[in-house]
Amino acid sequence: MAERYDVVVIGAGPGGYVAAIRAAQLGMKTACIDSRETAGGTCLNIGCIPSKALLQSSEKFAEAKNGLTEHGIKIDGANLDLAAMMARKDKVVTTLTRGVEFLFRKNKVEWIKGSARIAAPGRIGVTANGGASQEIEAKAIVIATGSESIPLPGLAIDEQRIVSSTGALALDRVPERMAVIGGGYIGLELGSVWSRLGSKVTVVEFLDRILPNMDRELGPALQRLLTRSGIAFKLATKVAGGELGNEAVTLQLEPAKGGERETLGADVVLVAIGRRPFANGLGLDEIGVVRDPAGRITVSENFETNMPGIYAIGDVIRGPMLAHKAEEEGIAAVERLAGQQTEIDYDAIPSVVYTWPEVAAVGKTEEELKAAGVEYRTGKFPFSANARARTNADTDGFVKVLADAATDRVLGVHIIGPDAGTMIAEAALAMEFGASAEDIARTCHAHPTLPEALKEAALAVAGRAIHI
Ligand SMILES: Cc1cc2nc3c(=O)[nH]c(=O)nc-3n(C[C@H](O)[C@H](O)[C@H](O)COP(=O)(O)OP(=O)(O)OC[C@H]3O[C@@H](n4cnc5c(N)ncnc54)[C@H](O)[C@@H]3O)c2cc1C
């Protein structure tokens, strides 16, 4: 007889594994299925975690090579041991994926390794990685199958010379020249890693600025700083094709608006033009689960699809493709199943680009406020006027606070600068609580710390910053 569960989650990424653990905490008999050998999905295996491990290591290398002289520290002969750096990254990934397996055991979530296919609402076929198949039953099915990289026609990914983010996380040598196609966060983070390790990196972006989805001031500011660190940019440029030669890959570039072509040679090309929802093999069309034209599974406020008892969360539905967004949705979906009224404030979901300096944002951009006709006031404060940034010798960047002109409620916070990714948590908390700029401005911030720049930007909304 088929094993019967209250909840079966398909996908053990940050959306799926968190949903499964929360469901089990709420007393539901839960299983989580994933076709990977290890838990943690894209994020832990080939995404957030390995990329941040390499960003951290490469940042330390760049600092050891030439970043410490300002502090009066000279290091002669700092050398790269790429194999050791990669081994550390792999160890971090293994530790964290095993951590998820431990949490499954602790919470009595049954982890089933295999590919899932939904036969009908309440019925799932699982083909184990060894080939054996079984059918299981569930009162509720939560689809958390995530996303995959979008390929660029004409440039077949071989993960050696033409790589996706997955290949770029595992190169066995530093390419002399790397072309990064796409100026979003994945291309910029991985381009930063290889640039710091010695590659001559060129980022090619179709639009006229990098980080096109963020506040208009952030992309150009980051571009200036990355250019200073040695990365080259070709904006408003289209990759029209590529040829794999014996030695190098030659990309054909042309202006986005049309015009004369040029070529760009590279030893490795990273294709990072975005990600798309992944639901292959689930059998959604056969059972009639509705998707939008972009392939995202359509869900209600309760994360329920058009088929009763089938839910979806994370990268496979609408909204930003971010691990923490997937986690919140996983929790909300199963808490709602348990009768709780959990809400997610999508305006308070932060996003972070882990370059140096970091870029982080929460809430609305200026462009979005203008388009919506919202009257707002802006407060800005540069890190060059922040005492801690001075002591750290990290003075690039600024904090920008956008507040409603009538109510002073914080509508958006945009930061480029040291530890922006850590600082944005305070802004997200403020927005979650519906804080005004004055609330942040009147909150005592320890001195000397970087978050004082957020306080000063909040003061600047009312024209009363102290240190500028
Ligand atoms: C290089 C890179 C860096 C990133 N960095 C960050 C970052 O710093 N911060 C951040 O917030 N986000 C980051 N992301 C995005 C983040 O990884 C995703 O938003 C997140 O993993 C989405 O979680 P998810 O649970 O929806 O799906 P996923 O993590 O994609 O997990 C889906 C899982 O479902 C499994 N699956 C799919 N189909 C089936 C099936 N039929 N049967 C069984 N199993 C199946 C897959 O094997 C996979 O393990 C990064 C992504 C990449 C590629």
Side-chain angles (χ1 to χ4, degrees):
M1 228 179 61
E3 187 76 35
R4 204 174 154 69
Y5 296 89
D6 294 317
V7 179
V8 168
V9 182
I10 305 175
Y17 86 73
V18 168
I21 290 172
R22 185 67 189 124
Q25 283 177 347
L26 289 164
M28 297 185 240
K29 185 178 175 197
T30 307
C32 185
I33 309 170
D34 201 300
S35 47
R36 254 177 234 284
E37 274 306 304
T38 49
T42 304
C43 173
L44 271 68
N45 290 284
I46 51 166
C48 327
I49 296 305
S51 60
K52 267 79 256 180
L54 290 183
L55 279 158
Q56 184 73 8
S57 297
S58 61
E59 201 173 300
K60 285 188 185 298
F61 177 63
E63 207 169 59
K65 268 207 105 143
N66 40 36
L68 295 172
T69 40
E70 193 177 346
H71 294 273
I73 302 167
K74 285 188 180 166
I75 300 177
D76 292 325
N79 286 318
L80 175 66
D81 181 346
L82 183 62
M85 194 178 279
M86 289 292 172
R88 189 196 86 93
K89 178 246 331 173
D90 292 340
K91 196 169 160 207
V92 172
V93 168
T94 305
T95 308
L96 290 176
T97 56
R98 287 203 183 137
V100 174
E101 293 164 27
F102 162 78
L103 292 171
F104 278 168
R105 285 194 299 277
K106 182 181 165 209
N107 289 282
K108 304 201 168 36
V109 172
E110 178 145 358
W111 180 29
I112 302 173
K113 287 189 203 179
S115 298
R117 184 178 183 86
I118 305 175
R123 284 201 296 124
I124 303 155
V126 187
T127 307
N129 294 346
S133 53
Q134 60 169 318
E135 191 163 289
I136 56 176
E137 290 179 2
K139 285 188 204 151
I141 297 171
V142 180
I143 301 170
T145 47
S147 60
E148 62 178 356
S149 320
I150 298 176
L152 190 62
L155 279 182
I157 302 286
D158 60 16
E159 298 297 16
Q160 301 288 327
R161 291 202 287 164
I162 301 181
V163 298
S164 70
S165 54
T166 305
L169 289 165
L171 298 178
D172 57 8
R173 69 193 156 78
V174 179
E176 211 171 290
R177 298 161 302 164
M178 177 183 252
V180 176
I181 308 176
Y185 82 92
I186 292 179
L188 297 175
E189 288 183 3
L190 293 174
S192 293
V193 165
W194 293 104
S195 167
R196 292 165 187 170
L197 298 182
S199 291
K200 175 86 197 82
V201 172
T202 305
V203 176
V204 183
E205 166 58 51
F206 181 78
L207 297 173
D208 63 357
R209 63 183 165 131
I210 58 170
L211 300 180
N213 299 326
M214 299 189 91
D215 189 276
R216 190 162 260 285
E217 277 193 80
L218 296 177
L222 181 65
Q223 189 190 333
R224 273 193 300 280
L225 296 167
L226 291 181
T227 303
R228 200 174 71 191
S229 78
I231 297 180
F233 289 88
K234 286 190 177 294
L235 302 184
T237 301
K238 186 168 124 184
V239 175
E243 266 168 44
L244 208 59
N246 284 341
E247 298 291 319
V249 185
T250 306
L251 294 179
Q252 305 288 334
L253 307 183
E254 68 181 40
K257 289 185 185 148
E260 219 169 281
R261 282 197 176 181
E262 58 174 323
T263 57
L264 176 68
D267 304 291
V268 171
V269 175
L270 164 59
V271 180
I273 57 170
R275 296 182 64 77
R276 63 185 179 195
F278 180 82
N280 298 355
L282 275 179
L284 297 188
D285 293 337
E286 288 81 344
I287 56 167
V289 169
V290 172
R291 283 183 274 178
D292 70 15
R296 295 171 296 208
I297 297 175
T298 307
V299 290
S300 69
E301 273 204 340
N302 286 333
F303 302 98
E304 196 164 22
T305 67
N306 61 311
M307 302 297 285
I310 302 182
Y311 301 78
I313 56 159
D315 279 10
V316 80
I317 65 167
R318 81 283 179 274
M321 288 186 172
L322 293 169
H324 42 284
K325 176 260 193 190
E327 289 185 36
E328 296 306 327
E329 290 180 341
I331 288 172
V334 298
E335 286 187 348
R336 281 174 170 241
L337 270 179
Q340 299 180 12
Q341 288 306 309
T342 311
E343 297 276 344
I344 296 176
D345 180 353
Y346 283 92
D347 270 339
I349 293 178
S351 55
V352 180
V353 185
Y354 298 86
T355 45
W356 190 262
E358 291 179 348
V359 183
V362 61
K364 302 284 188 217
T365 64
E366 278 206 70
E367 297 73 55
E368 284 169 337
L369 294 177
K370 279 186 188 137
V374 177
E375 296 283 316
Y376 63 94
R377 286 188 297 171
T378 306
K380 234 174 129 178
F381 191 81
F383 282 101
S384 56
N386 171 271
R388 187 58 189 268
R390 285 266 159 211
T391 64
N392 293 356
D394 281 325
T395 51
D396 292 319
F398 57 83
V399 180
K400 177 161 106 173
V401 174
L402 305 172
D404 189 287
T407 65
D408 197 38
R409 187 179 175 136
V410 178
L411 302 174
V413 176
H414 306 276
I415 309 177
I416 174 166
D419 283 338
T422 306
M423 287 178 59
I424 205 68
E426 181 186 349
L429 187 69
M431 288 192 62
E432 188 70 43
F433 277 70
S436 62
E438 185 173 0
D439 288 328
I440 298 178
R442 291 203 183 273
T443 301
C444 184
H445 286 66
H447 176 77
T449 58
L450 297 170
E452 285 177 290
L454 175 61
K455 176 189 168 99
E456 291 272 4
L459 279 166
V461 168
R464 56 192 192 92
I466 300 290
H467 290 93
I468 192 140

